[in-house]
mmCIF file of all heavy atoms in Angstrom:
data_model
loop_
_atom_site.group_PDB
_atom_site.id
_atom_site.type_symbol
_atom_site.label_atom_id
_atom_site.label_comp_id
_atom_site.label_asym_id
_atom_site.label_seq_id
_atom_site.Cartn_x
_atom_site.Cartn_y
_atom_site.Cartn_z
ATOM 1 N N ILE A 282 1.167 11.989 -1.846
ATOM 2 C CA ILE A 282 1.117 13.239 -1.361
ATOM 3 C C ILE A 282 0.635 14.248 -2.395
ATOM 4 O O ILE A 282 1.127 14.308 -3.463
ATOM 5 C CB ILE A 282 2.465 13.687 -0.905
ATOM 6 C CG1 ILE A 282 3.066 12.775 0.130
ATOM 7 C CG2 ILE A 282 2.529 15.155 -0.299
ATOM 8 C CD1 ILE A 282 4.452 12.920 0.675
ATOM 9 N N LEU A 283 -0.493 14.908 -2.106
ATOM 10 C CA LEU A 283 -1.061 15.848 -2.978
ATOM 11 C C LEU A 283 -0.932 17.233 -2.413
ATOM 12 O O LEU A 283 -0.901 17.440 -1.224
ATOM 13 C CB LEU A 283 -2.624 15.585 -3.204
ATOM 14 C CG LEU A 283 -3.003 14.157 -3.732
ATOM 15 C CD1 LEU A 283 -4.519 14.032 -3.746
ATOM 16 C CD2 LEU A 283 -2.316 14.058 -5.088
ATOM 17 N N HIS A 284 -0.635 18.199 -3.189
ATOM 18 C CA HIS A 284 -0.347 19.580 -2.812
ATOM 19 C C HIS A 284 -1.123 20.529 -3.643
ATOM 20 O O HIS A 284 -0.687 21.021 -4.671
ATOM 21 C CB HIS A 284 1.201 19.881 -3.049
ATOM 22 C CG HIS A 284 1.623 21.116 -2.350
ATOM 23 N ND1 HIS A 284 2.734 21.153 -1.624
ATOM 24 C CD2 HIS A 284 1.049 22.349 -2.212
ATOM 25 C CE1 HIS A 284 2.919 22.425 -1.113
ATOM 26 N NE2 HIS A 284 1.889 23.100 -1.578
ATOM 27 N N PRO A 285 -2.432 20.817 -3.105
ATOM 28 C CA PRO A 285 -3.159 21.794 -3.791
ATOM 29 C C PRO A 285 -2.486 23.135 -3.592
ATOM 30 O O PRO A 285 -2.136 23.583 -2.543
ATOM 31 C CB PRO A 285 -4.517 21.728 -3.120
ATOM 32 C CG PRO A 285 -4.269 21.067 -1.813
ATOM 33 C CD PRO A 285 -3.002 20.343 -1.880
ATOM 34 N N VAL A 286 -2.361 23.889 -4.801
ATOM 35 C CA VAL A 286 -1.612 25.081 -4.673
ATOM 36 C C VAL A 286 -2.444 26.343 -4.934
ATOM 37 O O VAL A 286 -2.023 27.498 -4.813
ATOM 38 C CB VAL A 286 -0.441 25.152 -5.632
ATOM 39 C CG1 VAL A 286 0.586 24.075 -5.195
ATOM 40 C CG2 VAL A 286 -0.817 24.976 -7.099
ATOM 41 N N ALA A 287 -3.642 26.181 -5.213
ATOM 42 C CA ALA A 287 -4.522 27.344 -5.360
ATOM 43 C C ALA A 287 -6.001 26.969 -5.026
ATOM 44 O O ALA A 287 -6.512 26.066 -5.571
ATOM 45 C CB ALA A 287 -4.517 27.758 -6.826
ATOM 46 N N SER A 288 -6.546 27.642 -4.104
ATOM 47 C CA SER A 288 -7.827 27.559 -3.672
ATOM 48 C C SER A 288 -8.367 28.771 -2.916
ATOM 49 O O SER A 288 -7.472 29.490 -2.395
ATOM 50 C CB SER A 288 -8.135 26.243 -2.890
ATOM 51 O OG SER A 288 -7.404 26.258 -1.773
ATOM 52 N N TRP A 289 -9.562 28.966 -2.910
ATOM 53 C CA TRP A 289 -10.046 30.143 -2.178
ATOM 54 C C TRP A 289 -11.197 29.643 -1.280
ATOM 55 O O TRP A 289 -12.278 29.133 -1.844
ATOM 56 C CB TRP A 289 -10.636 31.208 -3.141
ATOM 57 C CG TRP A 289 -9.549 31.645 -4.000
ATOM 58 C CD1 TRP A 289 -8.662 32.604 -3.771
ATOM 59 C CD2 TRP A 289 -9.128 31.032 -5.351
ATOM 60 N NE1 TRP A 289 -7.680 32.631 -4.785
ATOM 61 C CE2 TRP A 289 -8.030 31.779 -5.680
ATOM 62 C CE3 TRP A 289 -9.653 30.014 -6.063
ATOM 63 C CZ2 TRP A 289 -7.378 31.504 -6.959
ATOM 64 C CZ3 TRP A 289 -9.030 29.703 -7.281
ATOM 65 C CH2 TRP A 289 -7.906 30.494 -7.659
ATOM 66 N N PRO A 290 -11.064 29.663 0.073
ATOM 67 C CA PRO A 290 -10.037 30.343 0.942
ATOM 68 C C PRO A 290 -8.668 29.877 0.667
ATOM 69 O O PRO A 290 -8.409 28.886 -0.134
ATOM 70 C CB PRO A 290 -10.532 30.039 2.272
ATOM 71 C CG PRO A 290 -11.573 28.944 2.244
ATOM 72 C CD PRO A 290 -11.986 28.868 0.717
ATOM 73 N N PRO A 291 -7.614 30.474 1.314
ATOM 74 C CA PRO A 291 -6.222 30.198 1.049
ATOM 75 C C PRO A 291 -5.827 28.736 0.968
ATOM 76 O O PRO A 291 -6.573 27.910 1.482
ATOM 77 C CB PRO A 291 -5.508 30.909 2.237
ATOM 78 C CG PRO A 291 -6.462 31.977 2.684
ATOM 79 C CD PRO A 291 -7.850 31.431 2.444
ATOM 80 N N PRO A 292 -4.662 28.520 0.325
ATOM 81 C CA PRO A 292 -4.272 27.085 0.068
ATOM 82 C C PRO A 292 -4.206 26.267 1.354
ATOM 83 O O PRO A 292 -3.908 26.905 2.373
ATOM 84 C CB PRO A 292 -2.892 27.336 -0.578
ATOM 85 C CG PRO A 292 -2.809 28.711 -1.099
ATOM 86 C CD PRO A 292 -3.726 29.519 -0.275
ATOM 87 N N VAL A 293 -4.312 24.998 1.114
ATOM 88 C CA VAL A 293 -4.150 24.110 2.293
ATOM 89 C C VAL A 293 -2.804 23.380 2.149
ATOM 90 O O VAL A 293 -2.130 23.428 1.112
ATOM 91 C CB VAL A 293 -5.257 23.064 2.332
ATOM 92 C CG1 VAL A 293 -6.625 23.667 2.561
ATOM 93 C CG2 VAL A 293 -5.320 22.251 1.012
ATOM 94 N N SER A 294 -2.411 22.794 3.197
ATOM 95 C CA SER A 294 -1.050 22.056 3.241
ATOM 96 C C SER A 294 -1.216 20.743 2.414
ATOM 97 O O SER A 294 -2.260 20.198 2.247
ATOM 98 C CB SER A 294 -0.751 21.721 4.739
ATOM 99 O OG SER A 294 -0.609 23.016 5.389
ATOM 100 N N PRO A 295 0.034 20.257 2.070
ATOM 101 C CA PRO A 295 -0.013 18.883 1.287
ATOM 102 C C PRO A 295 -0.731 17.788 2.315
ATOM 103 O O PRO A 295 -0.684 18.018 3.392
ATOM 104 C CB PRO A 295 1.453 18.586 1.113
ATOM 105 C CG PRO A 295 2.163 19.918 1.224
ATOM 106 C CD PRO A 295 1.308 20.727 2.149
ATOM 107 N N PHE A 296 -1.230 16.897 1.694
ATOM 108 C CA PHE A 296 -1.959 15.840 2.428
ATOM 109 C C PHE A 296 -1.701 14.520 1.739
ATOM 110 O O PHE A 296 -1.353 14.457 0.544
ATOM 111 C CB PHE A 296 -3.326 16.076 2.738
ATOM 112 C CG PHE A 296 -4.172 16.187 1.447
ATOM 113 C CD1 PHE A 296 -4.883 15.072 1.021
ATOM 114 C CD2 PHE A 296 -4.305 17.424 0.787
ATOM 115 C CE1 PHE A 296 -5.695 15.282 -0.196
ATOM 116 C CE2 PHE A 296 -5.151 17.492 -0.273
ATOM 117 C CZ PHE A 296 -5.793 16.462 -0.830
#
Side-chain angles (χ1 to χ4, degrees):
I282 299 172
L283 301 177
H284 191 136
V286 296
S288 60
W289 300 275
V293 296
S294 299
F296 60 96

